[in-house]
Amino acid sequence: MPWGKTALRHKLINLKARSSGVRGNVDGAQGDALFGWAQLTAEPTRRLRVGLFARGAMLAETVANIHRDDLEAAGIGDGRHAFAIHLSAAIKDLVLANGGQADIKVIDPKSVKIGTWSPVVDVPAPTDAAPSSAATHSAPKPPKPARSDLQNVLYSDAAHLKAALALPASKVQTRAPLPETHAKLFAQTDYITTDATLPDRMYGYTEYIRYRDRLDETFDTAGTPDDIDHFYKRYLTLYSAMRGGLRVPLSAEVIAHLNEPILFGGSVGPFSRIM
């Protein structure tokens, strides 16, 4: 059976990606998520950042670090190279407004295209009336906008902000509740002593890091409150540097605490606590 145009295009994209030292695939969309996987052949255990782009503008990004049994069985590292990109209604609208097709690229450590995706458009049911000449032809794709690199990076956020500002104040959505997993990360539940509560500014994820890195004796956050700030100094300097550019999880309470201005003797002006 001869290759279809879509299948042949995907095959060529994969071949080009492999020649760049990246192997991966865009498996397709299911529900509100786009699934696929990506791996750097020279560093098979590295977790790659993947982005969804429309005409050069990045609309979403994620990390390919999800485990899949089929990848592990196929010898693709330890199997933790899959990704899932959330496809919100706004992202679908942005793709449709920019030609109807998005590129999926590995963006770290280098930009390599691994596939494409197009939203499914609902086609109106045909009527008895004869179709007009305009309806028998596909609408021409809009010209590629002239955007700078910075505009491409900010494009998605700017489009979302523009849409939000256009809504009446009563209809602007408030922040959605945290997903269950995130809620556990930022909960003050002591998961070791389940009937206890963590001290202020400590939460599930930071407590996990404190024990994982064997810092529970170095920083006695429950018994010595000053150790909490010392812990965050290490958390934001040493630990964050180990995450390859990924931001460290911080609660709103901790961010406010670290940004609190402090004035001490001899200083011209206040410094933030973290400084």
Side-chain angles (χ1 to χ4, degrees):
M1 174 180 283
W3 282 91
K5 288 184 179 180
T6 301
L8 179 58
R9 183 171 65 250
H10 289 170
K11 185 74 172 178
L12 292 174
I13 291 172
N14 286 336
L15 287 174
K16 185 175 181 180
R18 284 175 178 269
S19 69
S20 301
V22 172
R23 58 175 177 171
N25 190 59
V26 179
D27 300 327
Q30 184 175 358
D32 289 330
L34 181 66
F35 298 96
W37 62 275
Q39 183 194 39
L40 187 65
T41 53
E43 300 179 55
T45 60
R46 182 168 182 165
R47 313 306 176 195
L48 304 181
R49 289 170 57 222
V50 178
L52 184 145
F53 295 79
R55 294 193 184 277
M58 187 169 69
L59 307 184
E61 68 171 302
T62 188
V63 179
N65 61 359
I66 302 172
H67 180 268
R68 273 182 23 191
D69 291 338
D70 61 324
L71 296 181
E72 186 174 6
I76 300 173
D78 56 3
R80 299 185 64 86
H81 297 285
F83 63 83
I85 298 175
H86 176 61
L87 299 173
S88 65
I91 287 177
K92 295 176 184 177
D93 289 343
L94 290 174
V95 173
L96 291 172
N98 285 274
Q101 179 174 285
D103 294 331
I104 294 82
K105 301 178 183 179
V106 169
I107 54 179
D108 179 45
K110 52 187 172 181
S111 178
V112 179
K113 182 177 174 179
I114 59 172
T116 61
W117 168 77
S118 297
V120 176
V121 181
D122 293 330
V123 179
T127 62
D128 294 336
S132 65
S133 58
T136 59
H137 300 281
S138 298
K141 290 184 178 181
K144 186 174 182 178
R147 290 191 291 253
S148 67
D149 291 342
L150 179 59
Q151 287 173 324
N152 275 334
V153 171
L154 299 176
Y155 176 74
S156 178
D157 290 336
H160 283 83
L161 177 60
K162 180 181 178 181
L165 292 175
L167 293 173
S170 60
K171 293 187 178 181
V172 175
Q173 293 183 350
T174 57
R175 178 178 294 180
L178 285 176
E180 182 181 356
T181 302
H182 287 188
K184 289 182 178 179
L185 290 181
F186 292 105
Q188 284 193 279
T189 303
D190 188 331
Y191 293 104
I192 296 177
T193 307
T194 54
D195 59 345
T197 301
L198 298 177
D200 289 343
R201 302 189 302 278
M202 293 297 290
Y203 46 89
Y205 188 81
T206 52
E207 188 73 349
Y208 159 71
I209 295 299
R210 192 171 73 95
Y211 277 99
R212 191 202 67 174
D213 292 353
R214 299 181 180 179
L215 300 171
D216 47 303
E217 293 185 0
T218 304
F219 302 112
D220 181 13
T221 53
T224 310
D226 286 347
D227 277 1
I228 296 176
D229 284 349
H230 297 310
F231 167 80
Y232 275 111
K233 178 182 178 182
R234 184 192 184 279
Y235 184 75
L236 292 174
T237 53
L238 295 180
Y239 175 64
S240 64
M242 297 163 51
R243 287 174 57 84
L246 295 178
R247 290 175 292 180
V248 292
L250 287 169
S251 69
E253 178 193 14
V254 169
I255 292 173
H257 174 73
L258 296 176
N259 284 332
E260 181 182 358
I262 296 177
L263 186 64
F264 51 90
S267 63
V268 177
F271 291 86
S272 67
R273 186 183 300 276
I274 187 60
M275 288 182 65

